């Protein structure tokens, strides 16, 4: 079994305690590799390395275009190793190989996209009066901390690394303890791409240990976190104590709102896809189906048949659904089936583990009907392939249900009536709205982020750059 090392200051290293954690394949429960159990000392070493790199003449004076070229080389290396990276991601997360391949390509696209903007991060001139030249500079923040979850390890790692580096920051990243493998491989590729030592550092380890040490380190300048609301709150409190800016992406309970006048086959396909991609372990999963009462039975039957027909199995077999990431997460999903029983809900399909697919943590695609919009099943993020059905009769009622959770990440609207679609799009409380599609192919270019408890700050697209820069205003007296 491989003993992986973490990457600090351009060197591959064990943790100062020499302790390791084992990562497993959730499809087979077999051990894949060990990796360092990073601790406070290791985080401190990494932050020091990132600070030294940030302050170095080499990095401060690097041409913006050269930062772009580094990212472009990283993009090329990711593409060259795409098969191996996807294979690793599938082993570590369990996700179907085709989804891992798509994730790797998205990671490459982040590098390509932000490579192109590294030398286009512009300030403004602001007219004040004739003898003052007033301009703004968009400067990097400094050392940025990145805490990454286990559901899209390579995608989410590069999603924040690329804009941070494009804007001239340095990076300390902590991957999730369940899925460290591709982030470490990205560090290797950064090294090969010629990133100066200390610009990108990866510290592996547990959240409460390495993650907490990173979030509370006094010498970081920003924290990007993707994960649970509870951990998000902890991180925000820690950041508040030191007045550190944070970007939080905390998941959701996103609705697909399906009207009777929609293309129902197309809608059903995407409703199923949006809740089963990555076995439902997706922050933007379409986990609530809001369906117009007049087509409820017909549509729910269509969706149920599609869900029941999905193939479940190890990611390497490229089934439709891989396993859940861990026993802990599987048990959490199962606990919601007890809630369903207590709430008197009807399980239309699924609702249990799928031992037939092997020893791993498999769960069946599940459709739950007959629940209350205020109940836990309709309100809480289950983070598994579990779709709940909520009928509505009027557009106003659909809006009220759509906005009726604490979250607000994504909304899908399915209708052929453009007026209804726009009316809803302007009133739903969510960071992204998709009309007659869902996800639009990953959307590296699209602004992404939450309303309400789904978080704040924005990832992806040009908007993300605002969160990895700070603006300085300079006023010059010009004597004529
Ligand atoms: P989590 O929020 O605890 O973990 C996410 C990341 O944060 C991991 O890297 C973890 O090591 C780190 N972390 C944990 N505690 C920390 C702390 N105190 N300080 C700093 N970093 C810390 O999530 P989880 O326990 O793995 O999953 C629980 C639930 O979170 C899921 O069921 C799901 O609802 C949600 N989740 C959401 C996303 C998303 O994409 N929005 C991703 C993963 C999990």
């Amino acid at each position: 079994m491989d003993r992986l090392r973490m990457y600090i200051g351009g060197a591959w290293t064990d943790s100062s305690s020499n302790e390791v954690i084992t990562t497993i394949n959730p499809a087979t429960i077999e051990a894949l590799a060990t990796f360092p159990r990073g601790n406070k000392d290791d985080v401190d070493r990494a932050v020091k390395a990132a600070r030294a790199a940030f302050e170095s003449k080499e990095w401060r004076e690097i041409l913006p275009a050269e930062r772009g070229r580094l990212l472009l080389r990283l993009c090329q290396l990711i593409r060259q190793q795409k098969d191996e990276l996807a294979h690793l991601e599938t082993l570590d997360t369990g996700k179907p190989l085709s989804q891992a391949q798509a994730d790797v390509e998205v990671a490459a696209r982040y590098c390509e996209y932000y490579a192109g903007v590294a030398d286009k991060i512009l300030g403004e001139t602001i007219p004040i009066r004739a003898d003052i030249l007033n301009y703004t500079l968009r400067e990097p923040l400094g050392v940025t901390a990145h805490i990454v979850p286990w559901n899209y390890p390579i995608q989410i790692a590069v999603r924040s690394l690329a804009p941070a580096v494009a804007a001239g920051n340095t990076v300390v990243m902590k991957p999730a303890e369940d899925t460290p493998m591709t982030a470490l491989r990205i560090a290797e590729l950064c090294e090969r791409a010629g990133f100066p030592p200390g610009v990108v550092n990866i510290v592996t380890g547990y959240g409460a240990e390495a993650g907490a040490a990173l979030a509370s380190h006094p010498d970081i300048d920003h924290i990007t976190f993707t994960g649970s609301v509870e951990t998000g709150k902890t991180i925000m409190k820690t950041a508040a104590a030191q007045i550190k800016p944070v970007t939080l992406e905390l998941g959701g309970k996103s609705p697909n709102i399906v009207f009777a006048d929609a293309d129902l086959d197309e809608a059903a396909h995407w409703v199923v896809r949006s809740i089963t991609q990555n076995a439902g372990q997706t922050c933007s999963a379409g986990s609530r189906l809001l369906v117009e009462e007049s087509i409820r039975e017909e549509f729910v039957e269509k969706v149920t048949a599609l869900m029941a027909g999905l193939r479940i199995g190890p990611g390497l077999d490229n089934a439709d659904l891989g396993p859940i990431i861990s026993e802990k997460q599987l048990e959490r999903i199962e606990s919601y089936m007890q809630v369903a029983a207590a709430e008197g809900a009807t399980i239309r399909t699924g609702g249990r583990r799928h031992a037939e697919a092997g020893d791993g943590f498999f769960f069946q695609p599940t459709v739950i009907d007959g629940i209350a919009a205020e109940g836990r099943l309709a309100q809480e993020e289950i983070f598994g392939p579990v779709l709940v059905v909520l009928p509505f009769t009027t557009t106003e009622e659909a809006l009220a249900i759509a906005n009726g959770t604490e979250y607000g990440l994504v909304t899908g609207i399915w209708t052929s009536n453009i007026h209804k679609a726009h009316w809803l799009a302007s009133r739903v409380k969510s960071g992204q709205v998709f009309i007659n599609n869902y996800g639009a192919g990953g959307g590296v270019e699209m602004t992404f982020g939450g309303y309400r408890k789904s978080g704040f700050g924005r990832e992806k697209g040009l908007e993300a750059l605002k969160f990895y820069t700070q603006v300085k205003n300079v006023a010059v007296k010009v004597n004529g």
Side-chain angles (χ1 to χ4, degrees):
M1 188 168 44
D2 283 346
R3 181 179 172 131
L4 305 176
R5 293 199 161 70
M6 52 193 182
Y7 188 64
I8 298 178
W12 293 92
T13 169
D14 288 315
S15 117
S16 64
S17 69
N18 231 10
E19 287 178 77
V20 296
I21 305 172
T22 302
T23 182
I24 63 159
N25 176 347
T28 58
I29 330 215
E30 282 162 5
L32 292 171
T34 66
F35 60 94
R37 177 176 171 173
N39 56 36
K40 209 170 167 203
D41 293 344
D42 301 316
V43 167
D44 189 52
R45 275 197 291 148
V47 174
K48 284 195 171 112
R51 174 62 58 195
F54 182 72
E55 301 295 348
S56 69
K57 193 170 152 53
E58 185 185 10
W59 192 245
R60 289 206 89 99
E61 295 183 3
I62 188 173
L63 293 176
E66 188 52 38
R67 293 199 303 266
R69 280 182 211 118
L70 288 173
L71 287 169
L72 212 47
R73 283 201 285 277
L74 180 57
C75 164
Q76 285 157 352
L77 289 167
I78 291 173
R79 287 208 174 114
Q80 273 168 22
Q81 297 210 352
K82 64 181 191 316
D83 292 338
E84 206 189 329
L85 285 165
H87 186 83
L88 265 187
E89 192 79 325
T90 285
L91 288 179
D92 216 9
T93 61
K95 69 176 61 186
L97 202 50
S98 58
Q99 290 177 26
Q101 283 160 346
D103 288 357
V104 170
E105 172 53 23
V106 171
R109 276 287 297 139
Y110 279 122
C111 294
E112 191 171 54
Y113 181 87
Y114 290 108
V117 292
D119 57 358
K120 300 165 195 73
I121 301 174
L122 308 177
E124 295 178 313
T125 54
I126 302 174
I128 297 184
R129 36 180 238 227
D131 61 343
I132 299 280
L133 168 63
N134 192 87
Y135 63 92
T136 61
L137 296 170
R138 211 162 250 290
E139 298 186 333
L141 297 164
V143 177
T144 55
H146 305 243
I147 299 176
V148 177
W150 42 259
N151 53 347
Y152 289 82
I154 192 167
Q155 246 205 64
I156 295 180
V158 182
R159 177 174 87 184
S160 60
L161 181 153
V165 168
N169 300 283
T170 57
V171 170
V172 180
M173 179 172 290
K174 196 208 78 68
E177 51 269 46
D178 292 306
T179 55
M181 292 177 79
T182 46
L184 291 172
R185 192 54 72 90
I186 288 294
E188 219 175 289
L189 300 185
C190 287
E191 189 177 36
R192 279 181 52 194
F195 283 56
V199 168
V200 170
N201 306 274
I202 312 277
V203 181
T204 51
Y206 291 117
E209 206 169 11
L214 179 57
S216 62
H217 197 289
D219 202 29
I220 57 164
D221 297 299
H222 180 268
I223 308 168
T224 301
F225 170 77
T226 305
S228 64
V229 171
E230 279 320 303
T231 306
K233 281 186 200 166
T234 306
I235 286 187
M236 211 172 149
K237 279 186 207 150
T238 310
Q242 303 189 45
I243 320 286
K244 296 284 165 67
V246 293
T247 297
L248 298 179
E249 205 263 274
L250 307 177
K253 191 74 178 175
S254 297
N256 267 302
I257 309 172
V258 182
F259 287 92
D261 62 6
D263 177 337
L264 297 185
D265 287 333
E266 178 78 357
H269 167 81
W270 284 101
V271 164
V272 169
R273 190 161 161 178
S274 73
I275 187 59
T276 54
Q277 179 176 318
N278 202 25
Q281 304 165 105
T282 302
C283 44
S284 55
S287 51
R288 289 186 296 154
L289 166 60
L290 276 54
V291 58
E292 194 163 358
E293 184 62 59
S294 62
I295 53 155
R296 173 188 184 166
E297 202 40 49
E298 174 198 350
F299 192 73
V300 174
E301 252 175 42
K302 217 183 255 292
V303 165
T304 302
L306 289 174
M307 292 280 274
L310 294 174
R311 281 183 313 120
I312 311 169
L316 287 182
D317 293 354
N318 219 1
D320 300 310
L321 256 85
I324 302 304
I325 191 71
S326 62
E327 179 72 32
K328 180 184 118 187
Q329 284 298 118
L330 182 61
E331 283 172 4
R332 194 169 168 274
I333 297 167
E334 279 183 314
S335 75
Y336 281 99
M337 299 308 117
Q338 287 154 21
V339 176
E343 287 187 9
T346 308
I347 296 186
R348 306 274 298 234
T349 186
R352 61 173 186 84
R353 285 183 188 228
H354 193 75
E356 297 85 330
D359 292 337
F361 310 122
F362 298 96
F363 197 82
Q364 295 175 336
T366 300
V367 178
I368 304 183
D369 202 351
I371 60 161
E374 314 74 46
R376 285 186 58 198
L377 289 167
Q379 293 290 325
E380 296 177 14
E381 185 177 48
I382 298 173
F383 230 58
V386 180
L387 180 69
V388 300
V389 178
L390 295 159
F392 66 85
T393 46
T394 65
T395 309
E396 289 76 9
E397 193 191 355
L399 176 66
I401 300 172
N403 284 343
T405 74
E406 292 185 315
Y407 292 105
L409 197 56
V410 174
T411 304
I413 300 170
W414 300 88
T415 175
S416 53
N417 181 332
I418 197 78
H419 307 290
K420 209 154 58 179
H422 279 295
W423 187 88
L424 271 173
S426 68
R427 284 165 177 80
V428 287
K429 293 178 179 150
S430 72
Q432 282 190 335
V433 179
F434 293 103
I435 299 171
N436 295 328
N437 75 99
Y438 200 94
V444 163
E445 310 83 351
M446 284 187 289
T447 309
F448 179 65
Y451 277 37
R452 307 198 280 190
K453 283 196 182 156
S454 290
F456 55 78
R458 291 293 179 265
E459 309 269 12
K460 306 188 177 184
L462 292 178
E463 195 69 19
L465 291 167
K466 293 187 186 157
F467 299 91
Y468 293 104
T469 52
Q470 53 197 337
V471 181
K472 179 181 280 172
N473 190 92
V474 182
V476 189
K477 180 80 191 291
V478 188
N479 290 323

